[in-house]
Amino acid sequence: MSSAVHENVKNYYGSRLETSDDLQTNAACVLPSKPLAKTACEALKQVHPDVCKRYFGCGLVIPEKLEGCKVLDLGSGSGRDCFVLSKLVGERGQVIGLDMTDEMISASQKYVQYHQEKFGYSKPNTVFVKGYMEKLSDAAIQNKSLDVLVSNCVICLCPDKRTVLSEAFKVLKEGGELYYSDMYASKAVPDSFKEDPVLWGEGMAGALYWRDLITLVKDIGFSTPHLVAGSHIVVHNSELQRKIGDVKYASGTYRIFKLPQNSTKSKALVTYKGSVPDCADCFEFDSSHSFKKNVQVQVDAEMAAILQNTRFSTDFDITISETLDPNENATPQVCHLSPFLLADKLGSSVKQCSKTGH
């Protein structure tokens, strides 16, 4: 499975980078445009400082309602997000961290017992395995076995996005979610970028043009991507600025779902019950959908299918309003899916942050 790109990335993150200070962009310091849930903040404070020090992702990628879930972190790095997830899934849940670098697997494994004891669990609920996102079966990840997949600014380091996302689709259960942050480009990046090892290591050579993501995930069988957060990424290094020219970059967090093939194509009236943890008054599903408790709203056919067929099904009262033509396009306006426009709207660009995550 190893390629020249994989070997370069392994070297870049396994040996060359010691801390997030060594990155040439603010990617690891971008704060999410969506506030972190209280329980996620509390869990992050309990993560060992040495784990946070070697964190290279884009913000914190933690979806809601994870109690009892089986979660896979694609490209788990130092294990920071895995240990936060470990707290949120609870002792009945399970977290698997997948990484292709020996250094990162070794570093994260050292802290499994620490967090087990910190969280008061009778046994560990987190494991770290070496493997490639392009071939999850080689890491003993079974098809249709996972409730949630997360990934934090890592898919941009992979040369074959279609294979990575196809593998994610295969291992998710029906109704499962891929919730991930990644680096996106304002246009298709030139092939010349892919010859530069630093541009690959920083994620810029492999960043997907954000519009191409929409087509790609739909082709694979996922739902339309839902944009949760977006922030501009700023390149600090003047030499890299010269290399990338007029290509701009942003961090975008999306949630996409593996819906049953026979899910009903119907608009619906939905009422949020206020039962999602940390969301008693309002459930901010994404940047375009905010559900207030006890307020009935109409949603399109795909959103209705998501709310009916995922772990959020018990959190809504749902009334089908009308049957749609299965060929009718329920995709939201493309502009609502741009991390660049969302970042502009929220004014989120360079932000100072604590490198420890505390």
Side-chain angles (χ1 to χ4, degrees):
M1 192 66 248
S2 182
S3 68
V5 171
H6 289 112
E7 291 304 315
N8 172 63
V9 172
K10 282 183 187 179
N11 177 64
Y12 201 77
Y13 285 86
S15 305
R16 179 170 176 172
L17 299 185
E18 292 298 324
T19 74
S20 56
D21 290 322
D22 297 324
L23 286 168
Q24 302 303 308
T25 72
N26 71 318
C29 241
V30 172
L31 298 183
S33 52
K34 178 181 177 181
L36 287 177
K38 180 180 178 181
T39 52
C41 289
E42 292 172 349
L44 181 58
K45 291 176 182 177
Q46 297 182 64
V47 176
H48 196 287
D50 289 349
V51 173
C52 294
K53 185 179 179 183
R54 295 202 73 185
Y55 156 71
F56 305 117
C58 313
L60 186 63
V61 183
I62 305 292
E64 308 85 358
K65 198 178 181 183
L66 294 174
E67 179 74 31
C69 287
K70 185 174 182 180
V71 182
L72 172 64
D73 184 2
L74 298 171
S76 52
S78 70
R80 189 200 74 161
D81 290 4
C82 285
F83 293 126
V84 173
L85 291 163
S86 171
K87 175 66 173 175
L88 297 178
V89 301
E91 196 163 7
R92 294 186 301 107
Q94 183 183 2
V95 178
I96 304 169
L98 178 95
D99 205 274
M100 66 179 180
T101 60
D102 290 318
E103 293 90 345
M104 289 299 185
I105 292 293
S106 176
S108 55
Q109 285 175 335
K110 292 178 182 177
Y111 296 96
V112 170
Q113 184 177 353
Y114 170 88
H115 291 93
Q116 173 202 337
E117 295 173 354
K118 187 79 171 178
F119 301 152
Y121 296 160
S122 60
K123 60 182 180 179
N125 69 346
T126 304
V127 297
F128 293 94
V129 296
K130 184 180 178 182
Y132 293 91
M133 291 183 279
E134 296 92 337
K135 194 66 175 176
L136 295 177
S137 61
D138 285 356
I141 308 297
Q142 302 298 313
N143 288 349
K144 301 180 181 179
S145 64
L146 299 163
D147 300 297
V148 178
L149 268 68
V150 300
S151 186
N152 199 336
C153 220
V154 173
I155 294 177
C156 59
L157 303 175
C158 299
D160 188 349
K161 309 290 188 293
R162 178 176 290 274
T163 298
V164 170
L165 293 169
S166 295
E167 285 288 291
F169 186 85
K170 286 195 297 186
V171 299
L172 277 172
K173 300 174 184 177
E174 283 196 344
E177 177 180 15
L178 171 59
Y179 186 101
Y180 76 109
S181 179
D182 207 20
M183 185 183 292
Y184 293 93
S186 57
K187 61 182 181 180
V189 299
D191 288 340
S192 60
F193 284 22
K194 298 172 184 178
E195 304 300 319
D196 189 301
V198 175
L199 289 180
W200 260 117
E202 293 286 331
M204 292 182 279
L208 195 65
Y209 174 37
W210 69 268
R211 286 179 180 265
D212 290 342
L213 171 71
I214 303 167
T215 303
L216 180 56
V217 298
K218 296 285 281 185
D219 284 349
I220 290 168
F222 279 113
S223 70
T224 302
H226 289 263
L227 179 63
V228 177
S231 298
H232 292 296
I233 290 176
V234 177
V235 179
H236 303 309
N237 183 292
S238 59
E239 176 63 16
L240 292 187
Q241 289 176 351
R242 183 188 64 77
K243 289 180 179 180
I244 64 174
D246 62 349
V247 180
K248 306 299 182 185
Y249 293 92
S251 165
T253 300
Y254 291 91
R255 63 192 325 162
I256 57 179
F257 294 86
K258 179 179 178 177
L259 298 176
Q261 291 184 343
N262 60 350
S263 56
T264 305
K265 298 287 185 180
S266 302
K267 292 180 182 179
L269 296 171
V270 303
T271 305
Y272 174 53
K273 300 177 183 178
S275 51
V276 174
D278 293 314
C279 305
D281 298 319
C282 182
F283 176 25
E284 304 247 356
F285 181 85
D286 63 17
S287 59
S288 301
H289 296 87
S290 181
F291 299 102
K292 295 181 180 179
K293 182 180 179 181
N294 296 330
V295 176
Q296 188 178 70
V297 295
Q298 180 172 295
V299 296
D300 67 22
E302 187 173 67
M303 178 59 74
I306 290 171
L307 298 181
Q308 284 178 302
N309 294 284
T310 67
R311 65 188 187 281
F312 302 114
S313 62
T314 59
D315 301 301
F316 287 84
D317 288 323
I318 301 173
T319 304
I320 301 302
S321 58
E322 66 177 274
T323 301
L324 294 177
D325 182 334
N327 297 317
E328 183 173 337
N329 183 10
T331 302
Q333 294 182 14
V334 172
C335 63
H336 293 163
L337 304 178
S338 168
F340 295 90
L341 291 179
L342 180 59
D344 288 341
K345 178 181 177 181
L346 299 174
S348 54
S349 53
V350 183
K351 298 184 181 181
Q352 298 299 315
C353 70
S354 164
K355 296 293 184 181
T356 65
H358 287 229

